[in-house]
Amino acid sequence: MPLLPSPFSEARWRRRAREERGALLAGTAGLTQTFPKMVSSNEYGSHTWELSLTVDHQHEAVEKVQVLHITGDLHVGGLMLKLVEKIEIAQDWSDYAFWWEQKKCWLLKTHWTLDKYGVQADAKLIFTAQHKMLRLRLPNMKTVRLKVSFSSMVFRAVSDICKVLNIRRSEELSLLKQSEGTLKKKKKKDKNSKEPATEDILNLSNSPVSSGLPGNAGLYSKTMTPVYDPVSGSPASSTITWFSDGSSSEQNCSILALSHSTCSPEMLAEMYQPRTLADKAKLNAGWLDSSRSLMEQGVVEEDLLLLRFKYYTFFDLNPKYDAVRINQIYEQARWAILLEEIDCTEEEMLIFAALQAQTQDSICESEVDEVEAALSNLEVTLEGGNKSNILEDITDIPKLADNLKLVRPKKLALKAIKTYWFVFRDTSISYFKNKESAQGEPVEKLNLKGCEVVPDVNVAAKKFGIKLLIPVADGMNEVYLRCDNEDQYARWMAACVLASKGKTMADSSYQHEVQKILSFLQMKNWTMSSQAASEPDNVDMKPECFVSPRYTKKFKSKQLTARILEAHQNVSQMSLVEAKLRFIQAWQSLPEFGLSYYIVRFKGSKKDDVLGVSYNRLIRIDMATGDPITTWRFSNMKQWNVNWEIHQVAIEFDQNVSIAFTCLSADCKIIHEYIGGYIFLSTRSKDHNETLDEELFHKLTGGQE
């Protein structure tokens, strides 16, 4: 039954009819050209007007432009029906919808009338498929081609993409457009290359979700049989139902779950390598808005976008289900190290090189029960993980007490080093002149909640330091602690890390944190053996493929090979998945891990600063020196919003602290979404169906009042 015209619609057309009649009587026919063309009321009705529609269809028989005589009270679904009837081609049109070119929006509410949408005769509506082909470059630099919804919000589109690629926890990923700044250098270096033309692209266009069909939700069930071998990462043949056909499915899974080749030095040289914080800010400028569709953001069919882990809170990693996800996280970490997007020491670079070499060489022959035992030791508890339900025993919270060296930087590059008796209790450190005076007042008490904890370690030189950057009213108070050995360092470092998050040593994650630190130190602690010394000449290794260009310039090829082989001795017994997980853990241990940089101008400031956004905090960083100035924790945040007129983000914290800034290197919506996204991810919990509150995500990230 046709909908009756609204009072607004009737009034509008009465007014227009009067104006046309007046124009005709006055002989000013040109005036009527500004209104929709009226036709015979006997044939079409008194309120009928013409609307030209463009049909985006490959069929030769379909005319590209169709003209329909309609009324403003016609709903969008009725318009679609009229158009399809006129086209007279029998096919499934259910994926088609109207795209309004001038307003850059989809008309997806088919029950809305044209009047309600504001569609008039000058509107350029395109009848086009919602699912279109898109090329995606994954973290392992493999390009896949698949159908993606160009009308869904990006958050939903990414979820569908991850179902095709067999990646759980899609909320951790998003789509990124490469910014102009990161492309110019690449083009300049190799003007004659025809990059995408000969690129090997994995075509997944026939997979169920990619075709717009509902995915197999059973893949995500926590009670099902494992979908991957937890050691080799290869897909289990009984569960290959995700891709289009049986024979190619296993191959597709393997391509995404395994690292097949190392990169060449030439390939590294062609890629964008950020040198400064400003360069690193360019890497994060192109994140798409998760609350808008691809079409709304100027993405067209066959465009190339990057699929990347945007949020560094890898929740519930499980080798039995997550071979693709673990491999892609590993690859994103590997490229971040090789391209120096994140800084690391020479010692750490060699560890990363050794683990990469191990992932290339791993041949897994372990028995199933040995694998299960290894997995229980390998369980990775990452930031944003499951919250412990175990209540702390407030009557007996553990404490640490030791002699440590306190180092305070002074002017003229001099440092004051002195030994004190340190006591770690709750989330604070107190230090005394000696053990005997510990019953009295401390020399100083340092509250570590909200501080920055940075490792300052060189295992070869027996240096085990902890750098603490403690927030104070006018910036950061810098304190260094020196430990005597690895065990002492691991215990104090783990306590500091937990305290910075507001947790005590009574938390269930304390012992795991200690073991993780010791494990990382053990990988760094290698000695040169006679066998390793003689191996460089006999080993066919291209060391330039495992380290960043800075280190290939520093060492000769043979020297580098020898040093990588030294480091490899400590990891040579690891399985493939274990080596990848260790690489991810080592990446997470770096001081700059998880920081996304943006150039901003704080309200009241006369110079630009860099803002680092992490999973639990914001850091104001001096652009010239790279030193952190102030840290603000999300846990102390009361509210945040955006003034869209002046593109300013304003945030209120506890204790009447408030900040405001404009973003100069990207849209302010990107930073706003980062903050809301991390807060959203902190609400996740392990449930059986792994459902996400999409409405809550958009509420936290959308920026609406």
Side-chain angles (χ1 to χ4, degrees):
M1 186 175 71
L3 296 174
L4 293 173
S6 65
F8 169 79
S9 174
E10 284 191 337
R12 186 183 68 183
W13 285 108
R14 283 176 187 152
R15 184 172 65 253
R16 289 195 173 184
R18 285 198 301 269
E19 288 172 345
E20 266 203 43
R21 283 197 300 271
L24 287 170
L25 290 171
T28 55
L31 185 61
T32 62
Q33 293 174 5
T34 61
F35 300 102
K37 182 182 176 182
M38 305 299 292
V39 295
S40 169
S41 60
N42 293 332
E43 188 176 354
Y44 297 114
S46 58
H47 297 163
T48 305
W49 42 281
E50 283 185 358
L51 180 64
S52 296
L53 302 169
T54 303
V55 181
D56 181 16
H57 198 284
Q58 302 303 317
H59 200 289
E60 293 180 2
V62 176
E63 292 184 27
K64 294 302 178 186
V65 179
Q66 300 283 346
V67 178
L68 296 180
H69 297 277
I70 58 171
T71 59
D73 60 354
L74 179 66
H75 52 76
V76 172
L79 181 63
M80 294 169 74
L81 185 61
K82 277 178 173 286
L83 179 61
V84 169
E85 286 174 346
K86 187 170 182 182
I87 293 173
E88 293 183 340
I89 289 183
Q91 73 162 59
D92 182 3
W93 294 94
S94 60
D95 190 46
Y96 276 66
F98 287 114
W99 168 253
W100 192 347
E101 183 65 32
Q102 296 106 315
K103 293 202 172 182
K104 302 294 181 188
C105 71
W106 289 90
L107 308 186
L108 299 177
K109 296 178 180 176
T110 54
H111 61 286
W112 276 26
T113 65
L114 299 179
D115 281 341
K116 189 167 184 178
Y117 264 120
V119 174
Q120 297 183 8
D122 61 346
K124 293 180 181 178
L125 299 186
I126 301 172
F127 192 54
T128 184
Q130 297 175 65
H131 285 80
K132 301 177 185 293
M133 298 307 298
L134 188 68
R135 291 179 301 142
L136 294 175
R137 184 159 294 158
L138 306 185
N140 67 344
M141 299 300 170
K142 185 73 183 175
T143 301
V144 298
R145 182 174 177 270
L146 70 169
K147 271 191 178 178
V148 177
S149 173
F150 274 58
S151 62
S152 299
M153 290 182 182
V154 165
F155 185 83
R156 173 65 60 84
V158 170
S159 176
D160 290 341
I161 290 167
C162 287
K163 285 177 182 174
V164 177
L165 303 180
N166 207 351
I167 298 175
R168 294 193 313 145
R169 302 296 179 184
S170 63
E171 66 276 9
E172 296 169 359
L173 299 95
S174 193
L175 298 175
L176 181 69
K177 267 186 181 178
Q178 280 188 290
S179 63
E180 289 297 320
T182 62
L183 290 171
K184 281 179 183 175
K185 180 180 176 182
K186 195 173 178 182
K187 289 177 181 175
K188 200 172 181 180
K189 281 209 163 209
D190 193 1
K191 294 178 181 177
N192 300 321
S193 67
K194 298 178 181 179
E195 185 191 351
T198 57
E199 188 177 14
D200 180 24
I201 297 177
L202 178 62
N203 197 326
L204 302 178
S205 58
N206 295 324
S207 57
V209 179
S210 179
S211 303
L213 302 173
N216 179 8
L219 182 70
Y220 294 115
S221 169
K222 302 297 288 182
T223 59
M224 67 175 288
T225 308
V227 293
Y228 295 106
D229 183 303
V231 182
S232 68
S234 60
S237 57
S238 60
T239 56
I240 301 289
T241 57
W242 201 249
F243 293 91
S244 54
D245 57 71
S247 59
S248 63
S249 297
E250 189 164 351
Q251 182 184 1
N252 290 340
C253 284
S254 298
I255 288 172
L256 302 180
L258 300 178
S259 299
H260 291 274
S261 61
T262 56
C263 61
S264 65
E266 293 78 22
M267 185 179 178
L268 267 178
E270 289 177 7
M271 300 179 74
Y272 178 74
Q273 296 173 40
R275 301 298 183 195
T276 64
L277 284 175
D279 290 341
K280 291 178 182 180
K282 293 177 185 176
L283 297 171
N284 299 295
W287 288 111
L288 295 188
D289 187 338
S290 295
S291 301
R292 297 164 63 212
S293 70
L294 292 172
M295 284 275 270
E296 290 175 76
Q297 300 179 71
V299 179
V300 298
E301 191 166 12
E302 297 291 357
D303 264 0
L304 176 65
L305 297 178
L306 309 183
L307 180 68
R308 292 290 183 270
F309 288 87
K310 177 179 180 179
Y311 300 103
Y312 295 91
T313 52
F314 311 126
F315 182 65
D316 186 29
L317 274 182
N318 189 327
K320 294 180 182 179
Y321 307 98
D322 289 325
V324 174
R325 182 171 166 226
I326 288 171
N327 185 57
Q328 297 300 329
I329 294 173
Y330 160 75
E331 287 286 348
Q332 186 159 325
R334 185 169 77 93
W335 284 104
I337 298 294
L338 292 176
L339 296 173
E340 298 180 6
E341 293 172 12
I342 184 169
D343 291 335
C344 64
T345 64
E346 181 181 313
E347 192 176 47
E348 289 161 344
M349 180 62 77
L350 291 171
I351 286 292
F352 287 123
L355 288 167
Q356 287 178 74
Q358 183 61 13
T359 61
Q360 299 297 322
D361 301 337
S362 290
I363 300 172
C364 310
E365 298 174 350
S366 302
E367 296 294 331
V368 175
D369 54 349
E370 291 177 351
V371 172
E372 293 297 334
L375 283 173
S376 65
N377 295 328
L378 270 176
E379 186 177 345
V380 184
T381 305
L382 303 175
E383 301 299 347
N386 191 26
K387 304 295 181 185
S388 173
N389 292 322
I390 302 172
L391 293 175
E392 295 180 356
D393 182 359
I394 58 174
T395 61
D396 186 26
I397 294 178
K399 70 175 184 179
L400 291 174
D402 266 320
N403 277 315
L404 301 176
K405 292 182 177 66
L406 177 69
V407 185
R408 283 193 179 278
K410 290 191 173 182
K411 293 180 180 178
L412 302 176
L414 298 175
K415 291 184 178 180
I417 305 176
K418 194 172 181 181
T419 301
Y420 290 96
W421 180 255
F422 282 81
V423 177
F424 200 122
R425 186 181 283 111
D426 294 330
T427 58
S428 60
I429 293 178
S430 301
Y431 62 93
F432 306 83
K433 286 186 177 180
N434 49 51
K435 185 176 180 179
E436 290 69 29
S437 61
Q439 301 303 320
E441 287 294 314
V443 176
E444 188 178 11
K445 185 176 181 179
L446 307 171
N447 184 6
L448 302 191
K449 192 173 180 180
C451 76
E452 295 296 312
V453 184
V454 182
D456 183 22
V457 177
N458 187 324
V459 177
K462 299 296 180 185
K463 177 185 177 183
F464 304 100
I466 303 171
K467 180 180 177 181
L468 301 173
L469 298 169
I470 303 168
V472 290
D474 57 346
M476 305 287 277
N477 184 13
E478 195 171 304
V479 178
Y480 287 80
L481 304 181
R482 289 271 178 87
C483 301
D484 295 330
N485 52 56
E486 295 179 13
D487 289 335
Q488 189 183 59
Y489 169 79
R491 288 184 284 110
W492 282 83
M493 183 67 179
C496 290
V497 169
L498 261 63
S500 71
K501 304 172 190 174
K503 299 178 182 179
T504 72
M505 287 180 287
D507 191 88
S508 59
S509 62
Y510 174 68
Q511 288 302 328
H512 173 80
E513 189 70 30
V514 172
Q515 290 304 316
K516 189 171 79 171
I517 294 168
L518 284 172
S519 174
F520 190 43
L521 291 177
Q522 186 181 6
M523 284 194 291
K524 287 185 174 184
N525 189 19
W526 67 81
T527 54
M528 185 73 164
S529 67
S530 56
Q531 181 186 0
S534 62
E535 278 181 356
D537 294 328
N538 304 323
V539 175
D540 183 19
M541 175 188 279
K542 293 182 179 177
E544 300 85 0
C545 300
F546 298 105
V547 298
S548 66
R550 180 166 33 136
Y551 292 99
T552 59
K553 294 172 185 174
K554 186 175 181 180
F555 298 101
K556 292 180 180 178
S557 185
K558 279 188 179 180
Q559 290 177 316
L560 206 49
T561 300
R563 301 201 68 185
I564 293 173
L565 288 173
E566 288 176 52
H568 186 255
Q569 292 176 82
N570 273 9
V571 301
S572 60
Q573 301 304 313
M574 290 183 183
S575 70
L576 177 63
V577 172
E578 183 178 357
K580 288 179 182 177
L581 288 173
R582 292 296 189 198
F583 192 102
I584 294 168
Q585 282 184 333
W587 178 45
Q588 290 176 300
S589 300
L590 298 178
E592 293 182 10
F593 167 75
L595 281 173
S596 301
Y597 299 103
Y598 293 93
I599 300 173
V600 300
R601 174 71 64 89
F602 279 88
K603 187 177 180 181
S605 175
K606 293 183 179 179
K607 67 183 186 71
D608 299 341
D609 287 302
V610 172
L611 185 72
V613 185
S614 184
Y615 74 97
N616 62 351
R617 68 201 188 281
L618 299 173
I619 307 174
R620 184 176 182 175
I621 303 169
D622 186 289
M623 186 182 287
T625 64
D627 294 333
I629 301 170
T630 314
T631 297
W632 302 279
R633 293 270 162 179
F634 292 160
S635 56
N636 298 330
M637 192 161 57
K638 292 167 70 176
Q639 67 173 14
W640 74 102
N641 55 64
V642 180
N643 183 329
W644 296 112
E645 290 184 7
I646 58 174
H647 297 281
Q648 186 181 76
V649 181
I651 309 174
E652 242 182 83
F653 297 92
D654 293 336
Q655 299 177 339
N656 296 321
V657 175
S658 59
I659 61 172
F661 56 84
T662 53
C663 187
L664 306 178
S665 62
D667 193 298
C668 64
K669 171 65 166 63
I670 294 179
I671 293 183
H672 184 278
E673 186 173 308
Y674 250 123
I675 297 170
Y678 273 126
I679 291 172
F680 170 77
L681 295 186
S682 70
T683 66
R684 292 183 295 181
S685 62
K686 286 185 181 178
D687 55 20
H688 289 291
N689 57 11
E690 299 182 3
T691 54
L692 284 173
D693 188 344
E694 197 172 329
E695 186 179 341
L696 177 61
F697 175 85
H698 291 301
K699 186 177 180 181
L700 290 170
T701 61
Q704 280 78 26
E705 290 296 329

